[in-house]
Amino acid sequence: MLSFLIWLKHHCPWLWAIIENINNFFLLFLWGGQISAVRHRLVQPQSFADGYIRLLNKNDGDVLVEFLKQVTREELAFFSPHGFDKNSIKFVLGSGGYLPIGFFVGDKMVGYFIMRLFCSRKAFIGRYLSQDFRRMGLGQKMGAILYDIGEDLNFDVYSTISKDNISSLKSHEAMGRMMIVKSMPNNYVLVKFRKRSGLTRLVSS
């Protein structure tokens, strides 16, 4: 089923848009209160590395579009959580089904990580850092924040990772919470992140 949904997303965008709208309706109907509480926490900037993180909003559309221009064609094969055009970004930033978070140093966005929520209480995550901020352990910290958000919502957290994306696999494995669920087409694997009780939250309650 998951492989079919991914195929629809990339090959039938009009049908995928309908599925997304239906999902968002039931998602907010069933879990809207919990999601709103998490969004409320993330709205306020929180210290992170040499900058801060916060939930992105509709006013951040141009900033996010500009940031995503640095994603290369090769990297796009690994990082494509949604469309990168202005209309797609506008939809993501206005949708209750996404939790898009920006990492800023000063006024400049240098990182982007996102959680896509489904009414089946599953969530998928993605993350991206500017070149100058890689290999500093920040990707793991961004991942940990997303895992914690998933635990707060009591959602199961997943990601699809290419076996060719060695750095991403190693980064997730280093967290000690990743388990491979199954292999997927085009040399990808579906991974799930185990829940852990008693975590020190990186996103304050």
Tab-separated table of all heavy atoms in Angstrom, residues 164-185:
chain	number	residue	atom	x	y	z
A	164	ASP	N	21.591	4.254	-1.095
A	164	ASP	CA	22.723	4.993	-1.660
A	164	ASP	C	23.040	6.257	-0.865
A	164	ASP	O	24.106	6.842	-1.025
A	164	ASP	CB	22.425	5.384	-3.108
A	164	ASP	CG	22.229	4.163	-4.005
A	164	ASP	OD1	22.926	3.155	-3.788
A	164	ASP	OD2	21.372	4.226	-4.904
A	165	ASN	N	22.099	6.673	-0.015
A	165	ASN	CA	22.296	7.875	0.799
A	165	ASN	C	22.960	7.464	2.121
A	165	ASN	O	22.344	7.447	3.176
A	165	ASN	CB	20.944	8.555	1.051
A	165	ASN	CG	21.105	9.967	1.581
A	165	ASN	OD1	22.206	10.411	1.889
A	165	ASN	ND2	19.997	10.676	1.701
A	166	ILE	N	24.244	7.131	2.034
A	166	ILE	CA	24.968	6.553	3.160
A	166	ILE	C	24.973	7.475	4.374
A	166	ILE	O	24.783	7.038	5.512
A	166	ILE	CB	26.422	6.212	2.758
A	166	ILE	CG1	26.439	5.296	1.526
A	166	ILE	CG2	27.153	5.563	3.924
A	166	ILE	CD1	25.725	3.987	1.740
A	167	SER	N	25.177	8.771	4.152
A	167	SER	CA	25.262	9.707	5.274
A	167	SER	C	23.955	9.762	6.058
A	167	SER	O	23.965	9.816	7.295
A	167	SER	CB	25.642	11.101	4.778
A	167	SER	OG	24.675	11.602	3.876
A	168	SER	N	22.820	9.726	5.354
A	168	SER	CA	21.527	9.772	6.034
A	168	SER	C	21.290	8.496	6.829
A	168	SER	O	20.836	8.536	7.976
A	168	SER	CB	20.399	9.967	5.018
A	168	SER	OG	19.146	10.042	5.659
A	169	LEU	N	21.619	7.351	6.241
A	169	LEU	CA	21.460	6.085	6.955
A	169	LEU	C	22.313	6.060	8.214
A	169	LEU	O	21.846	5.674	9.294
A	169	LEU	CB	21.842	4.919	6.049
A	169	LEU	CG	20.789	4.439	5.052
A	169	LEU	CD1	21.381	3.411	4.097
A	169	LEU	CD2	19.577	3.840	5.778
A	170	LYS	N	23.568	6.484	8.109
A	170	LYS	CA	24.459	6.473	9.271
A	170	LYS	C	23.971	7.435	10.348
A	170	LYS	O	24.066	7.142	11.543
A	170	LYS	CB	25.881	6.826	8.837
A	170	LYS	CG	26.589	5.724	8.058
A	170	LYS	CD	28.028	6.105	7.764
A	170	LYS	CE	28.762	4.955	7.075
A	170	LYS	NZ	30.178	5.321	6.754
A	171	SER	N	23.451	8.574	9.921
A	171	SER	CA	22.964	9.561	10.873
A	171	SER	C	21.790	9.017	11.669
A	171	SER	O	21.730	9.145	12.903
A	171	SER	CB	22.545	10.844	10.143
A	171	SER	OG	21.982	11.783	11.024
A	172	HIS	N	20.848	8.363	10.982
A	172	HIS	CA	19.694	7.787	11.673
A	172	HIS	C	20.110	6.600	12.530
A	172	HIS	O	19.627	6.437	13.668
A	172	HIS	CB	18.639	7.357	10.660
A	172	HIS	CG	17.859	8.493	10.075
A	172	HIS	ND1	17.126	9.371	10.846
A	172	HIS	CD2	17.692	8.902	8.796
A	172	HIS	CE1	16.545	10.265	10.067
A	172	HIS	NE2	16.872	10.002	8.821
A	173	GLU	N	21.014	5.768	12.028
A	173	GLU	CA	21.467	4.612	12.793
A	173	GLU	C	22.158	5.040	14.080
A	173	GLU	O	22.048	4.369	15.112
A	173	GLU	CB	22.415	3.758	11.949
A	173	GLU	CG	21.711	2.979	10.844
A	173	GLU	CD	22.692	2.294	9.907
A	173	GLU	OE1	23.901	2.607	9.983
A	173	GLU	OE2	22.246	1.450	9.093
A	174	ALA	N	22.872	6.172	14.037
A	174	ALA	CA	23.602	6.653	15.205
A	174	ALA	C	22.673	7.012	16.360
A	174	ALA	O	23.090	7.019	17.523
A	174	ALA	CB	24.452	7.869	14.829
A	175	MET	N	21.411	7.291	16.043
A	175	MET	CA	20.440	7.607	17.090
A	175	MET	C	20.057	6.374	17.889
A	175	MET	O	19.547	6.472	19.000
A	175	MET	CB	19.181	8.223	16.468
A	175	MET	CG	19.378	9.581	15.841
A	175	MET	SD	19.813	10.835	17.059
A	175	MET	CE	18.359	10.786	18.107
A	176	GLY	N	20.297	5.194	17.320
A	176	GLY	CA	19.988	3.956	18.016
A	176	GLY	C	18.514	3.639	18.098
A	176	GLY	O	18.092	2.819	18.917
A	177	ARG	N	17.724	4.243	17.243
A	177	ARG	CA	16.271	4.044	17.329
A	177	ARG	C	15.658	3.601	16.007
A	177	ARG	O	14.456	3.451	15.900
A	177	ARG	CB	15.600	5.354	17.779
A	177	ARG	CG	16.062	5.830	19.143
A	177	ARG	CD	15.509	7.192	19.490
A	177	ARG	NE	14.073	7.190	19.603
A	177	ARG	CZ	13.349	8.275	19.893
A	177	ARG	NH1	13.942	9.432	20.053
A	177	ARG	NH2	12.044	8.211	19.978
A	178	MET	N	16.499	3.383	15.007
A	178	MET	CA	16.001	3.062	13.679
A	178	MET	C	15.937	1.564	13.464
A	178	MET	O	16.848	0.834	13.837
A	178	MET	CB	16.926	3.672	12.619
A	178	MET	CG	16.416	3.509	11.194
A	178	MET	SD	17.645	4.034	9.962
A	178	MET	CE	18.557	2.499	9.756
A	179	MET	N	14.840	1.104	12.893
A	179	MET	CA	14.765	-0.293	12.483
A	179	MET	C	14.171	-0.337	11.080
A	179	MET	O	13.258	0.419	10.751
A	179	MET	CB	13.921	-1.121	13.457
A	179	MET	CG	12.489	-0.694	13.616
A	179	MET	SD	11.621	-1.776	14.786
A	179	MET	CE	9.969	-1.068	14.746
A	180	ILE	N	14.747	-1.193	10.244
A	180	ILE	CA	14.276	-1.324	8.873
A	180	ILE	C	13.021	-2.179	8.850
A	180	ILE	O	13.013	-3.298	9.352
A	180	ILE	CB	15.373	-1.942	7.981
A	180	ILE	CG1	16.572	-0.974	7.904
A	180	ILE	CG2	14.836	-2.214	6.581
A	180	ILE	CD1	17.740	-1.528	7.110
A	181	VAL	N	11.953	-1.637	8.288
A	181	VAL	CA	10.675	-2.345	8.214
A	181	VAL	C	10.649	-3.243	6.980
A	181	VAL	O	10.300	-4.419	7.059
A	181	VAL	CB	9.500	-1.356	8.178
A	181	VAL	CG1	8.169	-2.096	8.020
A	181	VAL	CG2	9.487	-0.500	9.442
A	182	LYS	N	11.039	-2.669	5.839
A	182	LYS	CA	11.052	-3.475	4.615
A	182	LYS	C	11.803	-2.742	3.519
A	182	LYS	O	12.005	-1.518	3.584
A	182	LYS	CB	9.635	-3.792	4.141
A	182	LYS	CG	8.829	-2.587	3.690
A	182	LYS	CD	7.466	-3.021	3.149
A	182	LYS	CE	6.651	-1.834	2.659
A	182	LYS	NZ	5.345	-2.257	2.100
A	183	SER	N	12.223	-3.511	2.520
A	183	SER	CA	12.837	-2.931	1.333
A	183	SER	C	11.739	-2.452	0.395
A	183	SER	O	10.638	-3.008	0.360
A	183	SER	CB	13.709	-3.960	0.624
A	183	SER	OG	14.805	-4.337	1.447
A	184	MET	N	12.066	-1.403	-0.374
A	184	MET	CA	11.116	-0.820	-1.299
A	184	MET	C	11.749	-0.705	-2.670
A	184	MET	O	12.965	-0.901	-2.818
A	184	MET	CB	10.651	0.548	-0.776
A	184	MET	CG	9.962	0.465	0.583
A	184	MET	SD	9.354	2.075	1.114
A	184	MET	CE	8.062	2.353	-0.106
A	185	PRO	N	10.972	-0.376	-3.684
A	185	PRO	CA	11.544	-0.239	-5.039
A	185	PRO	C	12.619	0.842	-5.106
A	185	PRO	O	12.699	1.723	-4.247
A	185	PRO	CB	10.329	0.132	-5.888
A	185	PRO	CG	9.147	-0.400	-5.129
A	185	PRO	CD	9.504	-0.245	-3.688
